[in-house]
Amino acid sequence: MEFANILQDLKKGIYYPIYLLQGEEPYFIDLLSDYIEDNVLSDAEKGFNQTVFYGKDSDPVTIVESALRFPMMASKQVIIVKEAQSLNKIEKLEPYAQKPLESTILVLAHKYKTIKGNTKLAKAIKKNGVVFTSKRLYENQIPRWIDNYLKNHNYTITPQAAQLLTAFLGTDLGKIANELNKLVIAVKDTNRITPEHIEKNIGVSKDYNILELQNALGMKDVLKANKIVHFFAANPTLNPIQKTVAGLYFYFSKLFTYHFLKDKSERNVAAELKVHPFFVRDYITAAKRYSPTKLYEIMGILREYDMKSKGFNVSTMVDTGDLQKEMIYKILH
């Protein structure tokens, strides 16, 4: 089942006897598990009818024994196994999953890993309950996720601000949601979040960041690119070379791909490069400034400096700030 469908059923009071919440992205697993923990039973019912186990500190026999008990003065009991991926011999839950007690809601929060779908346990849970696999989002999916998250809080965000947050925070949805919650509390003068709000409340410079460096390189603006890379060199903790290399490789690989698209309409470019339509023209303009041969050379430069940043092909310890400056010089010349 999909996340939205499961949450909708829970809000309607439609419960299943066993839930397997698994996968690489813990954010959605926590949301569902926490909702069940907080909302299925009343506060009065929880004392006798809600039990939380931790995988590494428990075992299948104890969990099954608890699941087979009947609720006291309530229609349901809730048993949540957190960190279920650490539960030793989890496959021993299979006989219970074949015939789960209808008055028990057993939740297995199985983070970062999945139970193979062809196992007896997975098949039994799918037959009698819910299997949800939480997949980690790709970086290009994060801005839209941010946009939707804020819409649910009656806020909007500019495309530039969403991209800036993505570049700074990466793909950790829990971390992103935490920062967005802070923004919603802090931003009181408007319901539209801009790069200025990001800079003021999260501390990311709206002028000196990887996105602005990409734009400067795309425009071949030597002065602006040098200003940004000097800022990076002076603030290596916030702007490590590895992060710069990854961001630029991601950017220039898209410019390289553009040259080989048969359909170069803005709509198709946005779809093929997986970029927000707002930024498509910038990518097209930048791609026209770099030939495929130069872009291939640039990707080689980025690989070279990624290796150098890790100590390969350098005779002595080199300042990473100097490496960044040197790398940008080679890209531009």
Side-chain angles (χ1 to χ4, degrees):
M1 288 182 71
E2 296 295 324
F3 170 81
N5 301 120
I6 299 170
L7 188 59
Q8 187 177 45
D9 281 352
L10 290 172
K11 289 180 176 180
K12 290 179 180 179
I14 301 172
Y15 306 129
Y16 293 83
I18 184 166
Y19 292 80
L20 172 58
L21 312 177
Q22 62 177 358
E24 294 179 351
E25 178 50 69
Y27 178 77
F28 298 110
I29 295 172
D30 285 338
L31 279 183
L32 293 173
S33 177
D34 290 347
Y35 186 91
I36 292 171
E37 185 174 358
D38 295 339
N39 296 282
V40 171
L41 300 178
S42 68
D43 289 339
E45 293 171 330
K46 287 177 184 177
F48 291 105
N49 299 291
Q50 186 154 290
T51 306
V52 176
F53 292 102
Y54 288 86
K56 66 178 181 179
D57 300 322
S58 189
D59 60 85
V61 173
T62 303
I63 292 168
V64 169
E65 287 177 350
S66 296
L68 289 172
R69 296 175 189 154
F70 289 97
M72 294 180 62
M73 296 176 287
S75 60
K76 297 283 185 184
Q77 73 157 334
V78 174
I79 296 175
I80 299 173
V81 183
K82 297 186 177 183
E83 310 297 338
Q85 72 277 6
S86 300
L87 181 64
N88 190 33
K89 296 183 179 179
I90 192 172
E91 65 276 5
K92 289 191 174 182
L93 293 175
E94 183 261 328
Y96 175 80
Q98 293 287 1
K99 294 182 179 180
L101 204 63
E102 287 295 325
S103 58
T104 294
I105 299 173
L106 173 61
V107 180
L108 303 175
H110 194 275
K111 296 180 181 179
Y112 312 113
K113 299 179 180 180
T114 58
I115 296 174
K116 290 183 179 179
N118 60 358
T119 62
K120 291 182 179 180
L121 175 59
K123 289 178 179 179
I125 296 175
K126 186 176 182 179
K127 178 182 177 183
N128 298 309
V130 170
V131 176
F132 167 67
T133 301
S134 182
K135 296 180 180 178
R136 197 172 288 278
L137 298 185
Y138 294 109
E139 186 170 321
N140 65 285
Q141 296 173 301
I142 299 299
R144 177 172 290 184
W145 186 87
I146 290 173
D147 191 51
N148 290 333
Y149 185 92
L150 288 171
K151 281 180 180 176
N152 289 332
H153 290 76
N154 299 315
Y155 276 76
T156 59
I157 186 168
T158 67
Q160 300 95 323
Q163 289 284 353
L164 184 57
L165 273 176
T166 302
F168 181 67
L169 298 173
T171 59
D172 185 333
L173 296 186
K175 185 177 180 181
I176 294 170
N178 186 51
E179 295 298 333
L180 292 177
N181 291 338
K182 292 178 185 177
L183 276 173
V184 167
I185 294 171
V187 176
K188 300 183 182 300
D189 57 325
T190 179
N191 65 346
R192 186 162 178 78
I193 293 171
T194 65
E196 287 76 15
H197 293 121
I198 305 296
E199 182 175 51
K200 180 179 178 181
N201 296 286
I202 296 181
V204 187
S205 172
K206 65 181 179 63
D207 298 313
Y208 297 96
N209 56 70
I210 186 63
L211 297 179
E212 289 300 314
L213 179 59
Q214 290 173 2
N215 291 337
L217 293 173
M219 295 170 63
K220 290 196 172 180
D221 187 334
V222 176
L223 179 60
K224 183 178 178 181
N226 283 330
K227 283 183 178 180
I228 294 171
V229 79
H230 275 78
F231 179 85
F232 283 9
N235 299 272
T237 302
L238 289 176
N239 305 281
I241 186 172
Q242 292 82 6
K243 189 173 181 179
T244 304
V245 169
L248 293 183
Y249 193 88
F250 186 70
Y251 175 71
F252 282 110
S253 64
K254 288 182 181 297
L255 301 188
F256 187 78
T257 300
Y258 170 83
H259 284 282
F260 300 95
L261 296 177
K262 291 183 179 179
D263 180 359
K264 288 184 169 62
S265 65
E266 290 186 12
R267 183 175 181 178
N268 188 62
V269 170
E272 292 293 333
L273 300 189
K274 295 182 173 59
V275 299
H276 193 288
F278 182 88
F279 300 104
V280 168
R281 290 186 182 181
D282 292 338
Y283 275 84
I284 292 173
T285 301
K288 291 177 179 178
R289 289 193 173 102
Y290 291 90
S291 68
T293 302
K294 179 59 178 177
L295 290 168
Y296 186 79
E297 178 190 331
I298 287 171
M299 287 186 279
I301 291 169
L302 293 171
R303 284 191 290 266
E304 174 191 350
Y305 280 85
D306 180 54
M307 296 295 287
K308 284 185 175 181
S309 73
K310 296 169 182 174
F312 293 95
N313 300 322
V314 288
S315 56
T316 58
M317 289 294 293
V318 181
D319 181 80
T320 57
D322 290 337
L323 284 179
Q324 294 209 58
K325 295 173 190 176
E326 187 178 297
M327 177 178 70
I328 297 303
Y329 177 86
K330 286 189 175 182
I331 288 173
L332 286 168
H333 296 86

